[in-house]
């Protein structure tokens, strides 16, 4: 009797509509157990298509409970590769971290100049592929453009427009780059750049999300509405978590820059 009661626990009203999906071919839980589309009764011993865990955490400012979707990527791989979606979102986060590390530091170092993009008649190149970057003193960096002297002017322009508060001086094929003083204005400028970089990364994240949801919607005529709905919710949930991580990175970077 105790076993039967565990299998027959009530379903949330939100998921009662999933019963219609049974007739459209979704795998069913063990007979008598209403755990379809849920993680369900562990005593049934049968793998189900999707799992859903009810979170007790209340939605911010709304006082409502949130449902957290947890879908097995292997069981929906014919519809979408959720692992690939996760990797694409993580790649956006890693790119933001790299940008923060290389380009947004209070103290300018030679390494911070490496990936400044120089536009030449032959295309776009990182500065460190065109010139040799070194630090002559704590207050001065040198970019030797002797290997590509024709790109000296373009390199100086890229340094000036890098957003790093640099004012390069050209002397033949050598570019002298005075290290800017760490003023409050400079710190605030870097913090604004960090915010701009985060917004660009969030835009890239939205593109990953939209691409994945578009992929899921292609299967509207082949799988149940419940499956499509849960997959879309899962993708949105992944995007929200990635955006939250970006906000934490921005907060930490802003604190570092402003001191």
């Amino acid at each position: 009797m105790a076993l039967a009661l565990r299998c027959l626990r009530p379903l949330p009203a939100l998921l009662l509509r999933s019963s219609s999906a049974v007739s459209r071919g979704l795998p069913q839980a063990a007979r008598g157990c209403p755990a379809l589309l849920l993680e369900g009764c562990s005593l049934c011993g049968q793998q189900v298509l999707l799992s859903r865990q009810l979170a007790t955490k209340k939605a911010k400012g709304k006082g409502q409970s949130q449902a957290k979707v947890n879908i097995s990527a292997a069981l929906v791989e014919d519809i979408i590769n959720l692992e690939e979606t996760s990797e694409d979102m993580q790649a956006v986060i890693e790119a933001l971290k790299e940008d923060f590390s290389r380009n947004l530091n209070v103290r300018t170092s030679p390494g911070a100049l490496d990936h400044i993009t120089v536009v030449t008649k032959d295309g776009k190149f990182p500065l460190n592929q065109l010139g040799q970057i070194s630090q002559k003193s704590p207050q001065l960096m040198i970019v030797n453009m002797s290997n590509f002297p024709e790109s000296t002017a373009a390199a100086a322009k890229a340094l000036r427009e890098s957003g790093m508060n640099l004012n390069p001086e050209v002397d033949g094929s050598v570019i002298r780059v005075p290290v800017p003083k760490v003023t409050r204005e400079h710190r605030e400028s870097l913090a604004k750049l960090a915010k701009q970089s985060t917004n660009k990364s969030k835009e890239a994240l939205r593109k990953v999300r939209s691409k994945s949801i578009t992929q899921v919607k292609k299967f509207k005529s082949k799988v149940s509405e419940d499956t499509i709905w849960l997959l879309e919710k899962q993708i949105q949930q992944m995007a929200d978590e990635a955006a939250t991580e970006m906000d934490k990175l921005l907060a930490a970077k802003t604190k570092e820059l402003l001191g």
Side-chain angles (χ1 to χ4, degrees):
M1 176 64 72
L3 177 60
L5 288 175
R6 291 186 63 180
C7 288
L8 291 173
R9 62 186 184 281
L11 278 176
L14 179 63
L15 295 179
L16 290 179
R17 59 177 182 157
S18 65
S19 60
S20 64
V22 177
S23 63
R24 292 196 287 270
L26 287 179
Q28 299 184 36
R31 185 175 182 180
C33 178
L36 188 63
L37 294 181
L38 297 175
E39 187 173 9
C41 179
S42 60
L43 298 179
C44 291
Q46 180 171 336
Q47 188 180 47
V48 287
L49 177 62
L50 305 174
S51 65
R52 183 178 224 180
Q53 299 170 338
L54 297 181
T56 57
K57 183 179 179 181
K58 291 185 176 181
K60 292 182 179 179
K62 294 182 180 180
Q64 299 175 351
S65 61
Q66 278 192 137
K68 184 175 182 180
V69 179
N70 184 19
I71 299 174
S72 171
L75 293 175
V76 293
E77 60 184 4
D78 290 339
I79 301 174
I80 187 172
N81 189 331
L82 285 177
E83 292 181 355
E84 185 177 295
T85 298
S86 178
E87 289 172 0
D88 289 345
M89 290 183 179
Q90 189 59 40
V92 175
I93 295 173
E94 293 302 320
L96 180 62
K97 289 180 181 179
E98 182 74 9
D99 183 41
F100 281 179
S101 176
R102 287 187 177 276
N103 303 322
L104 298 173
N105 295 297
V106 175
R107 298 290 181 182
T108 304
S109 63
L113 306 183
D114 286 350
H115 288 73
I116 288 179
T117 301
V118 181
V119 180
T120 73
K121 62 180 181 179
D122 297 318
K124 298 180 180 180
F125 301 93
L127 180 60
N128 64 349
Q129 289 186 12
L130 300 175
Q132 296 177 334
I133 306 171
S134 60
Q135 188 152 6
K136 189 172 183 179
S137 72
Q139 291 78 37
L140 181 65
M141 287 186 292
I142 300 293
V143 182
N144 190 330
M145 298 291 295
S146 58
N147 290 333
F148 298 93
E150 69 279 5
S151 299
T152 301
K157 180 181 179 182
L159 286 162
R160 195 174 293 109
E161 297 176 354
S162 66
M164 298 174 65
N165 196 31
L166 302 176
N167 187 25
E169 302 168 356
V170 178
D171 182 9
S173 61
V174 173
I175 304 175
R176 301 178 185 277
V177 187
V179 176
K181 293 181 179 180
V182 184
T183 62
R184 185 67 185 178
E185 182 181 1
H186 181 48
R187 288 176 179 272
E188 290 175 352
S189 176
L190 291 175
K192 288 180 181 178
L193 288 175
K195 177 66 173 177
Q196 291 172 10
S197 294
T198 303
N199 288 339
K200 288 180 181 179
S201 294
K202 286 185 176 181
E203 179 61 32
L205 179 66
R206 285 191 286 270
K207 288 180 180 179
V208 173
R209 179 202 62 193
S210 297
K211 178 182 176 182
S212 298
I213 289 179
T214 298
Q215 173 65 22
V216 168
K217 287 182 176 179
K218 291 179 181 179
F219 288 80
K220 274 190 172 182
S221 62
K222 299 179 181 179
V223 298
S224 72
E225 292 180 4
D226 294 286
T227 302
I228 297 296
W229 181 80
L230 285 171
L231 280 170
E232 289 180 353
K233 187 172 179 64
Q234 171 77 0
I235 293 166
Q236 181 62 55
Q237 181 177 290
M238 293 163 63
D240 290 344
E241 290 171 355
T244 298
E245 186 172 349
M246 289 181 184
D247 287 336
K248 290 179 180 178
L249 290 171
L250 175 60
K253 193 64 181 180
T254 301
K255 183 177 180 181
E256 172 194 325
L257 293 171
L258 295 180

